[in-house]
Amino acid sequence: IDVREDFSAASPYNRLRDARSEARDAERGQDKGEADARDAGPLWRTVRELALQTLAALVGVTSPPFALALACVVLVEVAVAVTGYNMVHRLEGLLTPLLAIIFGLCCISIFAAAHPGTPANGGAPGGAGAFILAIFSAYAYAASWNPYASDYSRYLPSVTSRRAVEWAAGGGLFVSCAVLEVAGAALATVSGTHWGVDDNPTAQFVLPLSHDLAIAATFGIALGAIAANVLNLYSGAMSFLTLGIR
């Protein structure tokens, strides 16, 4: 079905095209500093909603309820964690290269669309306090993985080089966090993104991506959540065992 074949004013294609033009005009006005420029944020959200509605009508499906989607992800996480270490290890081994490819391509697209040296779109709310909080939150996130790592290092042979373990764990954590955090900073400068209280960060993340990559990135976010949380659940279970709770 070609949505462009419907020439009526109320057709999905014409509504989407008009909404996109309106949003881009407002964005140009904001970039030029025009006093009467409209806020492009709500207009781009309208474009997104119309695009999703058009896509859903074309393929005949709608997005699942959030509670159902969340329940499915949690069930997978629990099932993998309950199965045990070998299952966790196999899943992580499969997802690591897949997620590295997906998010590597996402970073390339984001860096290509970014405007280094320019302020974040809509300004940077919070000032210096928010910046300092972000730095310590990033450090705390990375440091919090240390106790989880200890749950897996004990499975290594006793002759394993301690230095090799340190470099593998520390290097992997540093590279993944640093690259994605730099990409997040670059994303804030991509045209069309908005960072208000009511704006969805995931929607902003996929904005500079191609259609196919945006779909892959969405699945990648869900798979990444599974990969991270099965470690949390398994480590939590090991903590209960140390307390004698079975």
Side-chain angles (χ1 to χ4, degrees):
I1 301 175
D2 189 345
V3 296
R4 294 171 296 181
E5 294 178 352
D6 186 350
F7 296 103
S8 65
S11 68
Y13 174 72
N14 281 329
R15 290 175 60 202
L16 181 59
R17 186 183 64 179
D18 292 343
R20 181 174 179 270
S21 297
E22 189 176 4
R24 293 191 67 182
D25 287 342
E27 193 172 75
R28 292 190 189 98
Q30 287 181 320
D31 291 340
K32 294 177 181 178
E34 297 176 357
D36 58 346
R38 298 176 60 187
D39 183 5
L43 299 177
W44 279 115
R45 285 194 287 273
T46 300
V47 172
R48 184 182 67 217
E49 293 300 324
L50 288 173
L52 291 174
Q53 293 172 14
T54 303
L55 179 62
L58 287 175
V59 300
V61 297
T62 57
S63 300
F66 174 78
L68 175 61
L70 178 61
C72 290
V73 171
V74 171
L75 286 175
V76 173
E77 293 171 354
V78 172
V80 173
V82 168
T83 302
Y85 170 79
N86 289 333
M87 182 63 178
V88 173
H89 197 280
R90 177 63 61 87
L91 178 69
E92 300 293 337
L94 293 174
L95 291 182
T96 296
L98 175 62
L99 295 177
I101 293 173
I102 291 175
F103 288 110
L105 293 175
C106 290
C107 288
I108 292 174
S109 297
I110 290 172
F111 289 138
H115 302 284
T118 61
N121 292 327
F131 180 73
I132 294 173
L133 179 61
I135 291 177
F136 280 96
S137 296
Y139 172 78
Y141 173 81
S144 67
W145 282 98
N146 286 326
Y148 298 131
S150 67
D151 288 332
Y152 298 90
S153 59
R154 63 163 170 257
Y155 290 98
L156 296 172
S158 58
V159 296
T160 302
S161 168
R162 295 180 62 182
R163 183 62 57 86
V165 174
E166 292 171 359
W167 277 107
L173 188 62
F174 173 79
V175 171
S176 59
C177 287
V179 171
L180 290 178
E181 286 161 9
V182 172
L187 180 63
T189 68
V190 173
S191 299
T193 58
H194 300 279
W195 305 101
V197 176
D198 297 324
D199 291 308
N200 187 329
T202 302
Q204 311 311 310
F205 180 77
V206 301
L207 193 62
L209 309 181
S210 66
H211 175 71
D212 293 338
L213 184 56
I215 294 176
T218 304
F219 280 104
I221 292 171
L223 292 174
I226 292 173
N229 287 323
V230 293
L231 300 177
N232 299 338
L233 291 171
Y234 180 77
S235 295
M238 296 302 293
S239 298
F240 276 114
L241 286 177
T242 61
L243 297 174
I245 302 175
R246 297 179 180 272

